[in-house]
Amino acid sequence: MKILTMTILRRLLALGFAAVCAAGVSAQPAAWPTKPITLVVPFAAGGPTDVVARTLGASMSKTLGQTVVIENKLGAGGTVAAAYVARAAPDGYTFFIHHNGMATATALYRKLSYNPLSDFEFVSQAVDVPMTLLARKDFPANNLQELIAYVKANQRKINLANAGLGAVSQLCGMLLERTMDVKVTAIPFQGTAPAMNALLGGQVDILCDQTTQTIPQIKAGNVKFYGVTTKNRIKALPDAPTLSEQGLKDFEVVVWHGIYAPKGTPRPIIDRMNAAVRAALKDPDVTKRMADLGAEVAPDSKLSPEGLQTWLKAEIDKWGPIIRSTGTFAD
Ligand code: MLT
């Protein structure tokens, strides 16, 4: 009788243990990632956003144990891709990299089909990138003062290439027009990779674009180069003057990049992605390539999901009134 009682007790304990284990297993998040992850890039392949995405993605693939696939979804200054990601399944397999355009689109587009603050989860910021002002190689102006004089004398006849309304190349061009008190003719492309090709081919005159694409062309002497858009000179181009020190007082544009997911993506997945971005930003291959191309890792305070969310809100509040005051709208 005693033996029978002990056996029943042991069985009951075993069953209880199995039930606890089952509950424990089901309380864990499902294994992730079990298949490749898509990182949507809102501009053309080979351009500045694409370079950052592919460099980070290659390193993150190692950390996550699954390939990060880059998908270029083009159009309307990045808003086509943002709308696509806002509606994608929040299953941890679609992410989005975008820059200042995530903030400026709210002022440029009066009818936006997504809300940057409420339709996304925030993963992390990544790198900050300076811009550079360039012209085609045979453009008549040899320095910034000559450029300003030439554009003033040829109002609206000078073509400025950009990546559409909402792109930083467009934002930079708009600020240049305001600061120089000139008007140019904007020619939109689906990214600054095709815009750069048009500049190299002599089909457009001027381009304001990120160092992640322009440094190789500047160093090869393929373009005319007038200066950087940062407050201070940058390490990657130490001899290059800032536009501000050449007379465009307080002119400053720095491009910041954030990584997002569709709203509802589970927090444990967001945290794993955040850790993978942080690991990539410490990967020596990534840091060397980014430094060579003028990009700086974002400060630690901006690398948390909350850091990106706070920053985006501040950028929307900053750029909204500036853009609205120009009366430039996409729709
Ligand atoms: C790009 O990746 O093509 C650029 O970031 C577009 C832009 O100027 O915003």
Side-chain angles (χ1 to χ4, degrees), residues 31-38 64-69 89 91-94:
W32 175 91
T34 57
K35 59 177 186 177
I37 293 166
T38 298
L64 294 167
Q66 285 287 346
T67 309
V68 174
V69 179
D91 57 3
Y93 291 97
T94 304

Side-chain angles (χ1 to χ4, degrees), residues 17-31:
F17 182 65
V20 168
C21 283
V25 167
S26 65
Q28 298 291 318

Side-chain angles (χ1 to χ4, degrees), residues 146 161 182 187 327:
E146 285 182 24
V182 296
I187 311 283

Side-chain angles (χ1 to χ4, degrees), residues 32 36-40 71 84-86 88-96 260-262 265 273:
W32 175 91
I37 293 166
T38 298
L39 180 58
V40 176
E71 185 178 337
Y84 167 80
V85 175
D91 57 3
Y93 291 97
T94 304
F95 290 86
F96 181 42
Y260 307 82
T265 304
M273 272 301 270

Side-chain angles (χ1 to χ4, degrees), residues 11-189:
R11 279 200 188 140
L12 281 173
L13 278 174
L15 275 174
F17 182 65
V20 168
C21 283
V25 167
S26 65
Q28 298 291 318
W32 175 91
T34 57
K35 59 177 186 177
I37 293 166
T38 298
L39 180 58
V40 176
V41 170
F43 298 105
T49 317
D50 188 75
V51 165
V52 171
R54 283 176 202 273
T55 308
L56 290 178
S59 177
M60 288 165 69
S61 299
K62 288 185 265 170
T63 313
L64 294 167
Q66 285 287 346
T67 309
V68 174
V69 179
I70 305 300
E71 185 178 337
N72 301 85
K73 230 172 215 323
L74 316 180
T79 57
V80 168
Y84 167 80
V85 175
R87 289 191 297 269
D91 57 3
Y93 291 97
T94 304
F95 290 86
F96 181 42
I97 183 164
H98 199 2
H99 54 38
N100 314 43
M102 194 71 166
T104 56
T106 55
L108 285 166
Y109 292 77
R110 283 166 292 187
K111 286 191 206 110
L112 212 54
S113 71
Y114 60 89
N115 182 323
L117 287 168
S118 58
D119 288 342
F120 297 87
E121 300 293 343
F122 303 89
V123 176
S124 172
Q125 280 199 49
V127 287
D128 293 336
V129 185
M131 300 191 83
T132 47
L133 180 58
L134 314 175
R136 61 182 156 79
K137 200 174 172 177
D138 54 356
F139 194 68
N142 289 317
N143 55 51
L144 185 67
Q145 298 317 321
E146 285 182 24
L147 175 85
I148 296 172
Y150 192 82
V151 179
K152 275 201 167 144
N154 293 278
Q155 298 274 352
R156 294 191 193 276
K157 288 190 202 132
I158 306 301
N159 292 328
L160 180 140
N162 68 33
L165 285 166
V168 282
S169 43
Q170 180 260 331
L171 177 71
C172 182
M174 198 175 76
L175 290 177
L176 282 169
E177 276 189 315
R178 226 166 95 125
T179 321
M180 293 179 178
D181 193 22
V182 296
K183 286 283 173 215
V184 295
T185 298
I187 311 283
F189 292 82

